[in-house]
Each structure stands twice: as structure tokens, then as C-alpha cells.
Amino acid sequence: MYWGVWSIERILILFTSVAFLAIGLQVTLFHYRQNFHQKVMWVPVILAPIIFIEGIAFSFYNTALLRSLFVLLMCLGILSGLIGSYFHIRGVGIRVGGWALRNFLIGPPLTLPFMFTAISVLGLIAVFWSAR
């Protein structure tokens, strides 16, 4: 039930969880600034703190249930990030002036949904690396 030592996999799971707290705060600020004009904007705002809490629990208690739930949440994080990437890329294109440089600077941040996906992939790598 308990982890034996603070292995690199366990540290990565903890880092992933804390990273979701930070990225969740940033996503919340950006989506709040846009008044959540699309319901899909709530997904990462709700998902990030759930991943944080579950990941912290999994960092301290290595149970099959927490491991499975963490894997499921990482998969949802990947999906959420990819869908967000689509909406952010589309959002830049529909601004006045289309794909102009200024729209990339003031429009939806293109890297944030990719970061959500990348951190989720890191979490999956940590879980499957620890299962070897």
C-alpha cells in the first residue's frame, strides 16, 4: 500500500500533480477573463484541481484504485488538452485579421493547452515507468 522510497517515478507523479495546480490556476484566470463564453472552458478548470488532489493522494498511497484513477485522469487531461488546442488555434484564426502576428500575441495562448497535454503525458510516463 505504501511506497517503499521516494523513487524518481513517485517524484514525477508528485511534480505532475503540483504542476496541475499551477496550470489550473492559470487556465482559470484566462477563462474567467473570457467570461467562460463556451461551456467547454470549464473542463480544464474543473479537471486540474481534481488531478491535483488525486495525484497528491497517489503520491503517498500506492493503491491499485488510485493508480487506475490517475491513469484515467491523465487520459482525460490529454484529451482535454488536445480539444483545447483545437479551440485555441481556431480562436486565433477567427479574430479580426485572422492569422496575423498580433492575434497570436493577444489571442488565446496556443501553448497552454499543449502544456496541459504534455504534463498529462508526463504523468502517464511516470505511472507506467513505475510499473516496470
Side-chain angles (χ1 to χ4, degrees):
M1 178 163 159
Y2 293 102
W3 292 83
V5 295
W6 280 94
S7 61
I8 188 67
E9 297 88 358
R10 187 176 178 190
I11 292 169
L12 281 175
I13 291 166
L14 181 64
F15 172 81
T16 300
S17 304
V18 173
F20 269 105
L21 177 64
I23 200 168
L25 290 172
Q26 188 63 52
V27 167
T28 301
L29 291 174
F30 278 131
H31 288 180
Y32 177 77
R33 183 179 70 181
Q34 294 299 316
N35 295 320
F36 294 96
H37 69 272
Q38 292 185 7
K39 290 185 193 312
V40 73
M41 295 171 99
W42 283 100
V43 172
V45 170
I46 294 169
L47 187 59
I50 292 171
I51 292 173
F52 167 70
I53 292 167
E54 201 285 333
I56 293 297
F58 182 42
S59 295
F60 289 97
Y61 300 103
N62 186 11
T63 65
L65 175 64
L66 289 176
R67 177 181 297 273
S68 298
L69 186 57
F70 190 77
V71 169
L72 174 67
L73 289 172
M74 291 299 101
C75 291
L76 289 174
I78 291 170
L79 183 63
S80 174
L82 292 175
I83 291 170
S85 295
Y86 165 76
F87 280 114
H88 281 225
I89 291 168
R90 185 174 150 260
V92 169
I94 64 174
R95 295 180 71 85
V96 174
W99 301 99
L101 177 61
R102 66 181 171 83
N103 287 339
F104 284 99
L105 298 174
I106 62 172
L110 295 182
T111 57
L112 202 55
F114 286 118
M115 187 64 75
F116 210 87
T117 300
I119 294 172
S120 297
V121 169
L122 178 64
L124 282 179
I125 290 170
V127 167
F128 291 119
W129 195 354
S130 68
R132 61 180 168 99

